[in-house]
Amino acid sequence: MKQYQATIGGKSVSADSDFTVLNPANGKEVGRAPNMGQKELDAAVSAAKAAFISWSSQSDAALQTACAAVAEKIEAHSAELAELITLEQGKPLNGMGSRWEMGGAVAWAGYTSGLSLPLKVLQDNEQGRVELHRKPLGVVGSITPWNFPVMIAVWHMLPALRTGNTVVIKPSPFTPLSTLRLVEIMNEVLPAGVVNVVTGDDQRFNLGGAMSSHPDIRKIVFTGSCATGQKVMQSAAETMKRLTLELGGNDAGIVLADSDPEKIAEGLFWGAFLNNGQTCAAMKRLYVHDSIHDAVCDALVAYAKNIPVGDGLDEKSMLGPIQNRMQFDKVARLVTDAKGRGKVLLGGEPGEGLFFPPTIVSGLSNGDALVDEEQFGPVLPIIRYHDVEEVIRLANDSPNGLGGSVWSSDKATAREVASRLECGSVWINKHGAIQPNAPFGGVKASGIGVEFSEEGLAEYTDIQVVFV
Ligand code: NAD
């Protein structure tokens, strides 16, 4: 079994012990990653701190060129990384799986390289000149989840590098191998110490917590659950770190009475089941107007039952297993609870190992666990509603506010409803679509700050105002 190494200060580094990474499709070992602690984290942070001096003093054009070279490298290794993602994460190579994730990683890396934050002149007259400059922060700590390991790593690292920061990244213990390899590849075109990676199993040592409180890390960009995000915020307080927190969601989809069930079934399905529902901005509860409730349920079930689920290496698979046992158990618990309260229209019974078929449950309402909690798996609750005011209230009745969607054949009505949803992104007749030129982030408990576009880039800088 392959032993993967970390990269610190441009060198391959191991630790005194390792941990095993399993393929969720068959439970077999994919590889081993270094089980690191404070010593390795300190080494990574000091390598990044040392590299910051020359990396941040480059011209803006030089930073742009260096980031473009990173984007090209990632693209050149897309096929290799896609296979590694499938092996450790479980998602299929095909469809909206690991090749698609790599397509996103390459698109974001390229687009972010081309962004810039030019100097702003706030005033220039006989009273004086006032300029707004954007300065890099120093060492950025990136903590990533297991659902889109490479794409989210790129979302964190490229804007940090583009604005002149250096990076220490820590992937999830469930999916560290693709990040170890990604960082190795990036180091082929970056100076030593600009990007470093540390990995650990979260059992022996709390690497993420140690990063969040580390005195030489100036910012944490974190994507993960709300509960861990809160811990990050607490540990970061003492050192006044800058934070971008992309946390959990419980996105509502609202189907208005004038929708065509047949036309929207495919969009509804992928809005909810992309990456097996293990997507932050997936539709996690679907509200359907009473008048077309049954027709929408029928159309959705008819579409969903033909989706092939299997080992991600099989080109026929469109969905894979749930990524890990903990998440599987959570989904199983929520489905068992929902069975006693609603009607299972599709699926509902666990498969082999970590496989769980696409599951659709109707007859539920707010207050049921499957509606109130983030399931983060292949199960969708459908809730019947009777009027628009009622459904807006139900949709907003959540501590989360990541995304939301409204489905209707009348765009004006849909926009009006959409404008009243409490969430960072809202889609009409689709769900979950994101792009590198549009800021993405959550409101309420779903996070702080945004990623992507100039707004996202600015979060990797501090402002310095120069009064001349
Ligand atoms: P998680 O919070 O369990 O883990 C995320 C990362 O935090 C991992 O790298 C983990 O090792 C690390 N970590 C664990 N304890 C820590 C601590 N005390 N301090 C700092 N870091 C620590 O999340 P997960 O299960 O990997 O991911 C699923 C969650 O992520 C879901 O809630 C999902 O909605 C959310 N998510 C959000 C977005 C978004 O953009 N908003 C994107 C993807 C996933």
Side-chain angles (χ1 to χ4, degrees), residues 50-62:
F52 176 72
I53 299 164
S54 58
W55 181 255
S56 61
S57 61
Q58 297 176 88
S59 70
D60 199 56

Side-chain angles (χ1 to χ4, degrees), residues 143-148 152 155 170-174 200 202 206-210 212 222-229 231-232 235 245-249 278-281 284 324 326-327 374 376 402 440 442 446 451:
I143 303 176
T144 55
W146 47 259
N147 58 345
F148 290 93
I152 293 176
W155 291 352
K170 189 208 83 64
S172 162
F174 294 112
D202 278 0
N206 179 4
L207 258 183
S212 311
F222 170 87
T223 303
S225 62
C226 294
T228 313
K231 288 186 195 157
V232 169
S235 347
L245 301 177
E246 295 291 356
L247 308 179
Q278 302 165 124
T279 304
C280 51
K284 293 179 178 138
N324 58 72
M326 208 172 58
Q327 197 59 41
E374 183 188 32
F376 216 63
L402 196 54
F440 173 75
S446 288
E451 296 188 273

Side-chain angles (χ1 to χ4, degrees), residues 85 89 91 96-97 100-101 144-153 155 274-275 278-280:
I85 294 171
Q89 204 283 336
K91 67 182 67 178
M96 283 188 277
W100 184 80
E101 173 171 347
T144 55
W146 47 259
N147 58 345
F148 290 93
V150 171
M151 190 157 70
I152 293 176
W155 291 352
L274 171 70
N275 200 27
Q278 302 165 124
T279 304
C280 51

